[in-house]
Amino acid sequence: MTSALFQPFRLRGLALENRIMVSPMCQYSAVDGSMTDWHFAHLGMLSVSGAALLCFEMTDVEPAGRITPGCVGLYSDANEAAIRRVVDFCRAHGQAKLGIQLAHAGRKASTTPPWDARKTLRPEDGGWQPVGPSAIAMAEDSPVPRALSLAEIRALIAKFADSASRAERIGFDAIELHSAHGYLLHQFLSPLSNRRDDEYGGSLANRMRFPLQVVAAVRSAWPGQKPLGVRVSCTDWVEGGWDIEQTVAFAIELKKLGCDWIDASSGGLMKDQVIPVGPGYQVPFAERIRKDAGITTVAIGLITEARQAEKIIAEGKADMVALARGFLWDPRWAWHAALELGATPHMPPQYLRARPAARADVFGERQHARK
Ligand SMILES: Cc1cc2nc3c(=O)[nH]c(=O)nc-3n(C[C@H](O)[C@H](O)[C@H](O)COP(=O)(O)O)c2cc1C
């Protein structure tokens, strides 16, 4: 049996050994934007998970772009050095290629972590004033952001490019820009959060302008042979908001700018969203974008089973699958999926003796490691 999920794939100059990505996951465990030992252990573990691509968590381009004071940034030399330490370990011991998700939280910034109920952090409690395209709160009980000036928008584009240059210096293989989940780029896209009356608001072309300018700036700061992807929310799940039709139009423009994949997520902009959550509920978005925009897509969201993932790839609904909670629950998810689908998992030699007795042949010539 040949598994579609374990077929190699290529994103520009980046060779991937299978179609599995570890989705970016905030850990809220940084200090002044710098990764800590928690990230070292967490990402080090996931770098040997058997997934072809490990995407580091949402990493913000300026301090005010962090969701919480514990979020990771890439805006200082100290941030860069802290990430490099983790990357060096993953390179030395892991097999996964390494991506980083660059972002700005916009109006969703300055909160406590989810395990502390994502409470608003006021400046007097160590928080800061969030910014956004317009002075519109996410919900009645959310803080009202300060609308960005044109000069601030220009400065932010440069900050995204600067973080991309730092990512290149560290040696990342791929960048994913976060234009989903109600964060700043998504806030510009949606008519529910963007009511600007300048060239950044109003028509679809105007609402897409800032994210597209960010993509263009990052693309030119990032080497031509290295891939760049964009995570999008394909719908706000709210009447009158951003939707899949606009997402397809956005994906077509992104492709023209040299974007290599769309990571098709949804929601996160409004508190009154109604999401029909269920297994693989966002896969139809990846399928639609792949077909109508002719671009590589990553399917994400409640993909938990090996055969479910296999089917998504085999049926051409997406080119890759990403898992988040699945990898937190079972960091060996890709090893187990490989065994189930008849492929050969990539395990570090230190762990080869753990192979199941019933599949003693699974590592081929590496079997000698079991003594
Ligand atoms: C702990 C945690 C942290 C997350 N942080 C991020 C993040 O940094 N960036 C992002 O785009 N999505 C983030 N997400 C969303 C996941 O990447 C993913 O889209 C979502 O959990 C659905 O996939 P799943 O069903 O495989 O978990 C996070 C999810 C979890 C559970």
Side-chain angles (χ1 to χ4, degrees), residues 23-26 58 101 178 181 231 300-302 323-325:
S23 201
M25 279 180 279
C26 288
M58 171 168 173
Q101 189 186 51
H178 200 346
H181 302 172
R231 171 166 269 200
I300 175 69
L302 284 180
L323 283 80
R325 289 163 292 182

Side-chain angles (χ1 to χ4, degrees), residues 282-293:
Q282 295 172 147
V283 175
F285 296 134
E287 184 179 12
R288 169 84 193 274
I289 296 165
R290 188 172 188 261
K291 188 164 134 283
D292 289 359

Side-chain angles (χ1 to χ4, degrees), residues 190-211:
S190 176
L192 300 176
S193 43
N194 181 351
R195 306 254 172 81
R196 295 181 75 95
D197 54 12
D198 59 11
E199 71 259 40
Y200 289 101
S203 65
L204 174 61
N206 280 0
R207 282 181 279 119
M208 292 195 302
R209 193 177 309 280
F210 172 62

Side-chain angles (χ1 to χ4, degrees), residues 66-80:
R66 293 171 301 160
I67 310 170
T68 74
C71 285
V72 175
L74 187 46
Y75 45 76
S76 73
D77 292 346
N79 297 163
E80 190 178 323

